Each structure stands twice: as structure tokens, then as C-alpha cells.
Amino acid sequence: AAGVIQSPRHLIKEKRETATLKCYPIPRHDTVYWYQQGPGQDPQFLISFYEKMQSDKGSIPDRFSAQQFSDYHSELNMSSLELGDSALYFCASSLGPPGTGELFFGEGSRLTVL
Amino acid sequence: QKEVEQDPGPLSVPEGAIVSLNCTYSNSAFQYFMWYRQYSRKGPELLMYTYSSGNKEDGRFTAQVDKSSKYISLFIRDSQPSDSATYLCAMSGGTGNQFYFGTGTSLTVIP
């Protein structure tokens, strides 16, 4: 079965650079979520989209922005990168409105900021 | 106080043991409950999904939800070394809500 696809899997950036992560949800899933996970921590909710509109915002820095496109894929844009942004970034998708149904995760994008 | 509390462990058991993992929560509106298995540097893998209360069984895994006690459990029977991972619970109050995660329990199954 198709899963959530994330790219790139690994990314190395310098401080103050910009990074873009992409997410392709499971087909027919209409809600996409972005999470940040530091070492030994649980996933921290960043932002979600339902039917291509922003649904909810968590602890997402102002330097970050995201959007969901007409084909339901989503991109997380991170600017003015800081060392503390180094983490695993997960995209997840679900069928139905946010907060309902089964939540499926991608394999994540590992961002390292030097 | 966090929405979801989970003992981080680590938990170490011999192969073949029954493992019990638990989470407590404070929000009585939660009605969607999930358990994930996460291997190091990998994405969380959905193991069990329960809506509202009750038990659900899938192979060696059993999930229980006790809404009156705000307590959920995951039991793993006949544990295998391949079960060694971090187990995360997650839950939500429904439409328009976030999913809230426990901090994860690290499990090691010793051959």
C-alpha cells in the first residue's frame, strides 16, 4: 500500500540558509500534518492542512511556513536556519478532518544545520 | 502538566515475555487513540488504532482504552527481539483537534 512520501530524506544546511521539505500524503488523504522531533523527544506538532487550507498551528517558528497544493502535497519552508532547527521532520496524513481517523507518518527528513 | 503522560522507561524484558505499556491522559474529550512503534531514526509506524473505549486485538498486540480512568494500554504477547523500539501513544479529541503524543517508552527485548 502507498505510504506517506517525504523528500529529501537527509539535508545538510548552514546557519541562516533556507530549506524546503516536501510531503506527498497517502492518496485520498485530505489532511496533512508536520511534526518536528528532536533526539529522545516525542513529535512536536508544527502545522496542519485540511483540504488545502491551514487547519491548525502548533509550535511553528515564524521563520517557517508551509502550504498544501492542489494535488494535496505539502511543503515546509524553513528560512534563517538556526542550529536548534536540526531535527527529524515528519509529515503525516489522515483521511477526514484534522484530529480524526488514523494518522500515518512518513519516514521523515533529517535536517542538520551546521 | 502535559496532556498525555507516558513512562519513558527504559523497559527491558526477556524474549517471550508479556509487555505492558501505558499512557494516562487528562482530557476527557479524547476519543481517538493510537499506538506507534518507532525504530531509531525511522518514522513512527501505526500499530493499533481505537476509537472511543474498549479492547482491540491484532496478532500479538492488544490495545485497551479505559476512558473512565483516562488510561490506555498496549500489551505485547510473546515479545520478540524485533519488538525492541520506542513505543508512542497518541490521542485526539476529534475534529479540529491536534493529536497529542506521549514521550515514548523505550523497550528492549533480550534474546
Side-chain angles (χ1 to χ4, degrees):
Chain A
V4 178
I5 306 296
Q6 290 188 245
S7 67
R9 293 293 310 279
H10 302 276
L11 196 57
I12 299 175
K13 292 286 185 180
E14 300 275 344
K15 279 196 320 184
R16 292 180 288 278
E17 285 191 320
T18 297
T20 297
L21 307 180
K22 294 186 178 182
C23 168
Y24 294 85
I26 292 172
R28 296 191 301 112
H29 280 197
D30 39 21
T31 301
V32 168
Y33 311 77
W34 285 98
Y35 290 87
Q36 179 191 59
Q37 188 177 35
Q41 297 181 353
D42 56 300
Q44 296 297 309
F45 172 69
L46 294 178
I47 195 166
S48 63
F49 294 87
Y50 174 57
E51 287 292 340
K52 293 162 279 186
M53 294 187 65
Q54 183 178 308
S55 171
D56 197 5
K57 238 179 169 184
S59 50
I60 183 169
D62 292 340
R63 301 176 287 107
F64 292 10
S65 65
Q67 56 182 324
Q68 187 177 29
F69 295 86
S70 58
D71 64 351
Y72 289 90
H73 95 273
S74 179
E75 295 184 4
L76 177 66
N77 299 292
M78 300 175 285
S79 62
S80 302
L81 287 170
E82 301 174 355
L83 296 179
D85 296 329
S86 295
L88 260 175
Y89 290 83
F90 289 109
C91 175
S93 72
S94 65
L95 181 64
T100 68
E102 297 166 277
L103 185 64
F104 294 91
F105 282 82
E107 284 298 320
S109 294
R110 179 169 295 280
L111 172 67
T112 302
V113 181
L114 302 175
Chain B
Q1 183 187 2
K2 287 193 64 152
E3 297 273 0
V4 180
E5 298 284 351
Q6 183 177 8
D7 186 341
L11 188 59
S12 185
V13 301
E15 184 175 354
I18 296 174
V19 177
S20 173
L21 304 168
N22 312 292
C23 288
T24 59
Y25 60 95
S26 55
N27 190 338
S28 58
F30 285 160
Q31 49 186 336
Y32 297 85
F33 303 93
M34 285 168 281
W35 284 97
Y36 290 87
R37 177 174 62 196
Q38 186 174 25
Y39 294 111
S40 180
R41 299 179 173 234
K42 297 287 190 180
E45 174 192 2
L46 180 62
L47 285 177
M48 301 290 284
Y49 165 75
T50 308
Y51 173 71
S52 191
S53 58
N55 296 352
K56 187 172 184 179
E57 187 174 322
D58 184 1
R60 296 185 295 111
F61 299 91
T62 299
Q64 291 183 351
V65 175
D66 182 348
K67 293 188 74 178
S68 61
S69 302
K70 299 192 186 70
Y71 187 88
I72 69 170
S73 302
L74 177 70
F75 298 96
I76 307 174
R77 290 182 299 281
D78 187 25
S79 56
Q80 302 295 309
S82 59
D83 295 328
S84 299
T86 295
Y87 290 79
L88 294 153
C89 62
M91 52 197 78
S92 166
T95 301
N97 285 266
Q98 295 180 25
F99 287 96
Y100 293 90
F101 286 81
T103 51
T105 299
S106 176
L107 171 68
T108 300
V109 180
I110 302 168

